[in-house]
Amino acid sequence: MIDSLLFIALPYLAIFVGVFGSIYRMRTAPMTYSSLSSQFLESKGLMWGSLPWHIGITVILLAHVIAFLAPGFWQSLVSHQTVLAAVESIGLGLSILCLLGLIILGLRRLTSAKLQAVTSVMDLVVILLLLLQVGLGMAIAVHCKWGSAWCSGTTTPYLWSLVTFQPDVTHISDLPLLVKAHIVGAWLFIFVIPFSRLVHMFAVPVEYLFRPPQNVVWTNPRKFNADNQHFVKEEARRHFLRAFAGIAFGGFLLSVGTFRNVFSFFFGPRLGRKEETELMELRLSRLESTVGQRKLELERQASNYILVGKLAELSPENGKYFIDFKMQPAIAFKGKDELPLLISAKCTHLGCTVGNKVDQQGRILCPCHVSYFDIVSGEPNAEAPAKAPLPHLGWVIMDERGKVLARRDASGKTSGDVQPELRVTARVYISKDQEGKA
Amino acid sequence: MATGKEIHSTGTRCIPQRVVAASLMTLFMAFANCSNAFGQDSEALYREKCSGCHSIGGGDLVGPDLARTATWPDSELQESIKRMEANTGPLTDAEVNGLKAYLKNAKPKADSAAKSPSGTSSPVSSPGGKDASTTSPATDAISLTAAAGETSAEPASAESGRKLFWGDEAFKNGGLSCIACHSVDGNGGNMAPDLTGISQKMAAPALVSACEHTPYKVMKTAYKSHTILHQEALDLQAYLSSLKEPHSQPKKPQVALIGCGFAGVVFAIIAFGYRGRNKSARSKLQRRD
Amino acid sequence: MDIRAQVSMVFHLDKCIGCHTCSVACKNVWTDRPGAEYMWWNNVETKPGTGFPTLWEDQNHYKGGWKLSGNNGSRKLELRSQNKLDSFVKLFYNPNQPGLEDYYEPWTYKYADLFDSELGTDQPTAIPVSQITGEPVDIEAGPNWDDDLSGSPIYAENDFNLEGLSEEEREQLFEIERVSMMYLPRICNHCANPSCVASCPSGALYKRGEDGIVLINQDVCRGWRACISACPYKKIYYNWKTGKSEKCILCYPKLETGQIPNCFQSCVGRIRYLGVLLYDADRVAEAMKVPDQSLVESQRSVICDPFDENIVALAKKSGISDEFIKAAQLSPVYKYVMKWKIALPLHVEYRTMPMLFYVPPLLPVMGKMDNGIYDNPVDQFFTSLDKSRLPIKYLARLFSAGNEEIIESVMKKLMAVRYYKRSLDMSDLDIVMVSRMMREGSTTPQEAEEIYRLTALPTIDERFVIPEIQREEAIESSCNPELCKGSCGLGINQAPGRGL
């Protein structure tokens, strides 16, 4: 309960508030979007605090994002021991930078009177939250070592489950408390973004790389007359570049995983001779079975009767599988009246093959989702996911010479009987006309 | 060999042999644990299903020691075993009863873990797979079900097990390499226990089963869609069994030291890069008279 | 050819009396707000002096403006403060940004203490308190701390423009009783090649197409502070309260309603002229790539003749309104800068192509002391230039990127006009000599008369020729500016606020 609250409700709330809150604030009060730099009032502490903090957190966040967006790529990267150790060391180093930077930034806010004039409560909340988050991250790096490796099997699927709207807490519910606290901290962080100076991370001026140095703004329609075309072209080009860059980057991130597969197809480890033989054999046997199945099907369609087995072979507990005219599995039992009891083995829930062993209550089990079917009535048990009963099949009993001794149609109407002396040799069939009637 | 045995045990080889076999295969793929234990030896069942987490008299592993359950009332034991279905998959009443009986009668010292034959497997390229399959038919059943496509298992190799463990080689289904959380000889992750002496605590078949089914806390979900293949499990078992005495592994990387060094270097770069930063312009003013 | 119009300015330094009325007029309207107390969009400096902020002209320190890189074949203009990549690191900490200590800590006085103090034996005093922290401060600096050469051994002596001067020239400048100074009123130059605009990561800074006013969009500014170091004139100020930069807006709300900007209107000495210049925007960047010595000429070559029919046609094609063209023809700025060539840009070597021009002061040159009498020996009239109290070299560093010839020719023309007028009024000068001076100053009686009229007797309509300008904002919707005073400084009704 607390897990779903913290790891399903909170993230969705946080992302909703974080994204839409920031957009709303951008729309209604763009003036309040600022880095709110305090370098003007105090610069030395800022240098020693802000630089390490921002350098550290930028790279660390980037690594988190890559591990989340391209788990395959990331996993293959850190599966190498040296790389893993390097990633972990650099990560720890960066988190040390972050921590020291934050401490310096916090201290400078607390000690300088000038800075206190521009410090809001939210600033302190943000610093505390970040301190906590960085501290937890470092504790994880030490106590739950090599998170860069285990994240791709735990937190990454969790995050993806959130993204795909199929939240699955089980990925992380067993992780140590430290990790869970770190995750909760991250959601809180996202939550407070629109209420704090943290919005400045959305203001990273990437477009500066692409824009021309001078920026001239016209309020009269001159540009629409004289330079219209040039202007439009320039704008379009810039938009195209920006869109292209965005799409390319997104595509790059998304395709890294795919590319790895392509790469390993051509350059990855080759199958051994033995493995290859196995693979070919497997394929061959599959083909054979397909051919056999088809043949069988045709054969069946042609013949009027299909042998189920000798009447004597059937047992009341241990059913015998066979395939009916529709190429579907069915089971043959011996009923209480010493006559065959034929029941479909295709579960009415999702079509798995039902087991052939009868338990004490006279039921057979579909193992896929645990439905018990009574073999006499065909009805599933009350809790079972299957709701419809398994249908019974009709049968024909013939002696060795092909003389019909008894028959039962699908509705259960029996005619004829089998003399005890004939029971040893009598064979059970299903017949086409019965099938048709059923 | 194992395949034949398995099919016979279900006793349904009849007209549409292949079709039935194939449908059975899917059946087992979907639910490996369900149907094969009818009338099987409860000890085998115990090894397959329980010994991955429990021991009898061997001390607590992931789950508690089961030696004390011998004194439990019948109904409570039944309930407890039923509760474990979450980890083992559905158990039939017969299986539960069998397990109950086994637990009641098991002598603590007779626990397979203690006298596990895994010691006989030599450290490198032992015929661990054969070893396991000959001692425990139950394991055979697993081998069939999990590795449905693979008709025969290669002999287990501790070397490839080592590679899998250390992540030098990826699991076929893309699971995490063990080293992310586990360690051996103190090298590796520390979120999960050190596995150096694990072969003393768990019997070989239990170890294989544990690798394959990963019924543990975090692993349960982490490997849910990245199942470890039987062959891989055998390799891992071989590797883990080979870890008797301290192993010569790559030197433990001094993560903390390198991290601090890295941070120090960045600070130095900042100090150097901005040594010419503006300080107060007024301090540049020199008095001239 | 991309002809553009620019509302540009001329400050006639001979007429400036250093009264700071312009600064006060500006402050009262625009920067009388929390966060902006220390800003002086208009300030008046005494030269020689270190200015405001301290040593602003030292670009080795502040790294403002453009620098020329590359060799002859491919010269390139680059920002001195940053390139596109390291600007991203400088978002976190800008090593060249001036801090509060380079300006001054704004203060006020606890006037209430004069009334509220308890009865005692001492006279109560109003102690100075910081306008940032509210705590008592020791006042160590102010916006015109070196006014009228106060503290000259520290301030005037450290004037950055004195660096090239010989020891002898320095002594000449600061010799007791001969000591000399001039005033330099400064506002934003509204450059044609602004380095602040080029440096802004967010793209908040822009130059208005119609009139060339450089503005900061407060809604787009994200407080990255790159413009503050990039502006070589240090005319962009960081509002520590709102976390955004602000600068002189040339009172565009007034201009748009046909009024005169505050600092211009309030000028006691009537030193300021405002008018339109037409220039070729396509050639600006190229023109700023020439060696220092030719920069003034190069800038002049970009400015177009508004009487040339071709230019007028091109201007119309570029969408410049008839009012602007007419204003350009009547522009006093065009006369000073292009026709008479006696107004020069300040520190053109920063290569931003400033559009504010200064007529250098002649008075200190004239004031040569001989036997206790200020006089100028008529027979060697131009030789006094060499011995002028404000060395030509010093003025050249200010107004012509070190090209002394340009300063000399300006001085000669100014002197010729003066002698010509004296010869007419006083008749105590030899006509032959005056006409020789006119020749050397390359002027004519007619031109001298025009210069004299526009310098000494201009009407307000001659000084300020303001065309109709497109509105930036719908000012009408704002409330009475008087009501917003002290809260909202940017001509908009929404008070600038600090982010969360």
Side-chain angles (χ1 to χ4, degrees), chain C residues 392-426:
Chain C
I392 293 290
K393 207 182 225 168
Y394 178 77
L395 289 175
R397 293 228 14 193
L398 276 175
F399 297 115
S400 62
N403 188 336
E404 291 170 36
E405 278 172 35
I406 292 177
I407 298 287
E408 269 174 34
S409 69
V410 170
M411 290 298 178
K412 280 178 183 169
K413 188 177 267 189
L414 289 174
M415 282 172 82
V417 171
R418 207 161 287 205
Y419 279 97
Y420 169 71
K421 285 307 288 180
R422 186 180 173 102
S423 71
L424 290 187
D425 293 347
M426 308 295 288

Side-chain angles (χ1 to χ4, degrees), chain A residues 96-388:
Chain A
I96 293 172
L97 284 179
C98 286
L99 191 71
L100 289 178
L102 263 183
I103 291 173
I104 294 170
L105 288 175
L107 284 181
R108 106 188 228 286
R109 288 238 166 231
L110 293 177
T111 49
S112 159
K114 278 182 209 147
L115 288 180
Q116 273 162 19
V118 292
T119 301
S120 66
V121 178
M122 208 28 152
D123 292 342
L124 298 179
V125 170
V126 165
I127 287 184
L128 277 181
L129 190 61
L130 292 176
L131 263 178
L132 196 74
Q133 192 66 346
V134 173
L136 281 170
M138 288 179 77
I140 290 169
V142 174
H143 289 294
C144 307
K145 227 163 53 173
W146 293 358
S148 49
W150 53 253
C151 72
S152 47
T154 51
T155 48
T156 308
Y158 160 65
L159 287 173
W160 275 110
S161 78
L162 287 180
V163 171
T164 52
F165 292 104
Q166 292 157 336
D168 184 0
V169 191
T170 55
H171 291 297
I172 52 161
S173 53
D174 290 327
L175 287 176
L177 207 61
L178 275 178
V179 184
K180 289 167 108 174
H182 190 68
I183 295 172
V184 172
W187 298 129
L188 286 179
F189 171 80
I190 291 175
F191 185 86
V192 299
I193 287 175
F195 308 105
S196 67
R197 62 166 62 206
L198 291 172
V199 286
H200 76 268
M201 35 184 229
F202 300 131
V204 178
V206 184
E207 71 217 34
Y208 182 57
L209 289 173
F210 308 107
R211 79 172 177 86
Q214 295 303 344
N215 185 10
V216 179
V217 172
W218 297 84
T219 40
N220 76 12
R222 168 186 135 135
K223 281 293 160 190
F224 300 101
N225 307 330
D227 290 344
N228 196 12
Q229 284 189 335
H230 171 71
F231 186 75
V232 168
K233 227 162 79 184
E234 183 72 6
E235 274 292 284
R237 191 180 67 89
R238 231 174 292 151
H239 278 128
F240 173 76
L241 272 181
R242 215 177 294 169
F244 183 77
I247 292 169
F249 187 63
F252 168 73
L253 286 181
L254 287 175
S255 64
V256 166
T258 324
F259 181 74
R260 202 182 134 256
N261 288 341
V262 177
F263 184 81
S264 61
F265 176 79
F266 289 109
F267 304 102
R270 297 279 167 206
L271 290 179
R273 194 181 175 74
K274 188 161 181 245
E275 285 167 307
E276 209 159 341
T277 324
E278 269 171 23
L279 200 67
M280 295 311 287
E281 270 171 7
L282 189 71
R283 277 186 197 160
L284 193 65
S285 72
R286 275 190 194 145
L287 274 176
E288 272 172 2
S289 80
T290 317
V291 170
Q293 200 175 342
R294 190 70 199 145
K295 259 189 197 159
L296 207 64
E297 216 177 318
L298 290 172
E299 205 176 286
R300 274 156 187 273
Q301 297 299 335
S303 62
N304 281 332
Y305 295 101
I306 293 172
L307 176 68
V308 175
K310 282 185 182 169
L311 181 57
E313 274 176 0
L314 300 182
S315 101
E317 304 89 29
N318 216 343
K320 184 172 176 191
Y321 283 109
F322 65 94
I323 302 292
D324 67 8
F325 281 96
K326 290 175 196 156
M327 294 302 289
Q328 280 167 0
I331 315 174
F333 295 98
K334 188 180 274 180
K336 288 202 183 104
D337 51 1
E338 293 293 313
L339 288 176
L341 179 65
L342 271 51
I343 188 161
S344 161
K346 192 183 173 196
C347 180
T348 52
H349 176 223
L350 290 173
C352 291
T353 302
V354 182
N356 65 340
K357 294 192 178 82
V358 183
D359 64 5
Q360 282 100 328
Q361 287 108 325
R363 302 181 304 179
I364 46 177
L365 165 69
C366 171
C368 292
H369 299 89
V370 198
S371 307
Y372 291 94
F373 295 94
D374 191 283
I375 57 166
V376 178
S377 67
E379 289 292 340
N381 62 330
E383 306 86 55
K387 296 300 169 208

Side-chain angles (χ1 to χ4, degrees), chain C residues 135-396:
Chain C
E135 285 165 16
V137 283
D138 279 334
I139 301 168
E140 289 169 336
N144 49 355
W145 207 239
D146 55 351
D147 208 22
D148 290 343
L149 293 181
S150 61
S152 59
I154 302 172
Y155 298 108
E157 292 268 17
N158 278 295
D159 186 320
F160 187 69
N161 303 298
L162 295 175
E163 267 188 11
L165 264 59
S166 66
E167 208 53 36
E168 192 186 356
E169 284 166 319
R170 275 172 183 266
E171 262 172 40
Q172 189 183 319
L173 183 61
F174 291 112
E175 193 183 330
I176 203 84
E177 290 199 357
R178 284 188 44 167
V179 73
S180 166
M181 65 182 182
M182 58 180 261
Y183 297 110
L184 184 71
R186 296 202 301 125
I187 64 170
C188 170
N189 290 295
H190 298 281
C191 307
N193 185 31
S195 55
C196 55
V197 173
S199 77
C200 179
S202 313
L205 273 146
Y206 62 97
K207 191 171 176 67
R208 298 216 303 191
E210 290 78 14
D211 49 22
I213 297 175
V214 177
L215 293 176
I216 300 174
N217 186 338
Q218 294 286 300
D219 281 347
V220 179
C221 176
R222 300 286 170 258
W224 299 129
R225 316 170 313 289
C227 52
I228 302 170
S229 29
C231 173
Y233 300 95
K234 291 291 160 287
K235 275 294 166 189
I236 295 183
Y237 298 89
Y238 182 74
N239 185 319
W240 55 266
K241 188 107 185 175
T242 62
K244 311 239 165 172
S245 291
E246 295 176 14
K247 66 180 286 299
C248 160
I249 57 176
L250 202 60
C251 294
Y252 72 80
K254 295 192 85 182
L255 280 179
E256 286 168 358
T257 47
Q259 301 174 65
I260 304 153
N262 278 332
C263 54
F264 286 77
Q265 192 166 31
S266 63
C267 182
V268 173
R270 299 180 183 181
I271 75 159
R272 297 186 179 213
Y273 301 81
L274 189 79
V276 174
L277 285 183
L278 299 181
Y279 68 100
D280 180 6
D282 280 347
R283 287 190 43 233
V284 168
E286 238 10 80
M288 289 296 108
K289 290 178 187 171
V290 298
D292 282 357
Q293 293 282 318
S294 348
L295 272 170
V296 172
E297 270 309 316
S298 181
Q299 175 168 4
R300 281 179 187 156
S301 74
V302 174
I303 297 168
C304 305
D305 179 2
F307 300 100
D308 183 334
E309 279 174 16
N310 288 335
I311 297 292
V312 170
L314 279 166
K316 282 185 175 164
K317 208 177 134 204
S318 305
I320 295 174
S321 67
D322 291 346
E323 287 86 3
F324 260 88
I325 293 169
K326 199 171 161 228
Q329 288 166 344
L330 292 174
S331 167
V333 178
Y334 183 76
K335 288 179 186 137
Y336 273 115
V337 176
M338 294 301 291
K339 202 169 163 197
W340 305 327
K341 296 190 198 305
I342 54 175
L344 301 169
L346 177 65
H347 284 304
V348 71
E349 73 272 20
Y350 302 154
R351 296 172 194 275
T352 61
M353 193 161 151
M355 295 306 254
L356 160 56
F357 301 88
Y358 293 88
V359 180
L362 183 58
L363 278 173
V365 181
M366 296 295 287
K368 183 167 167 58
M369 196 180 79
D370 200 18
N371 302 325
I373 300 161
Y374 291 99
D375 192 13
N376 204 49
V378 173
D379 50 327
Q380 30 170 286
F381 46 90
F382 283 140
T383 55
S384 59
L385 277 177
D386 306 328
K387 292 177 184 164
S388 62
R389 291 189 300 170
L390 273 178
I392 293 290
K393 207 182 225 168
Y394 178 77
L395 289 175

Side-chain angles (χ1 to χ4, degrees), chain A residues 27-58:
Chain A
R27 288 272 170 123
T28 55
M31 172 79 191
T32 64
Y33 262 67
S34 166
S35 62
L36 293 181
S37 164
S38 54
Q39 186 185 346
F40 176 69
L41 298 175
E42 199 280 340
S43 85
K44 192 175 174 192
L46 185 91
M47 183 186 100
W48 289 112
S50 169
L51 272 174
W53 159 253
H54 281 104
I55 291 172
I57 199 64
T58 310

Side-chain angles (χ1 to χ4, degrees), chain B residues 61 112-121 184 194-208 236-245:
Chain B
L61 300 174
S112 56
K115 52 164 190 160
S116 151
S118 62
T120 57
S121 50
V184 285
D194 188 292
L195 295 182
T196 314
I198 193 68
S199 59
Q200 267 92 348
K201 286 192 207 151
M202 282 168 79
L207 210 50
V208 174
L236 283 175
Q237 183 268 330
Y239 171 62
L240 291 172
S241 303
S242 71
L243 294 172
K244 282 285 154 65
E245 55 267 13

Side-chain angles (χ1 to χ4, degrees), chain B residues 167-183:
Chain B
D168 294 340
E169 216 167 75
F171 286 113
K172 282 245 169 61
N173 286 335
L176 291 173
S177 49
C178 316
I179 201 71
C181 304
H182 290 285
S183 57

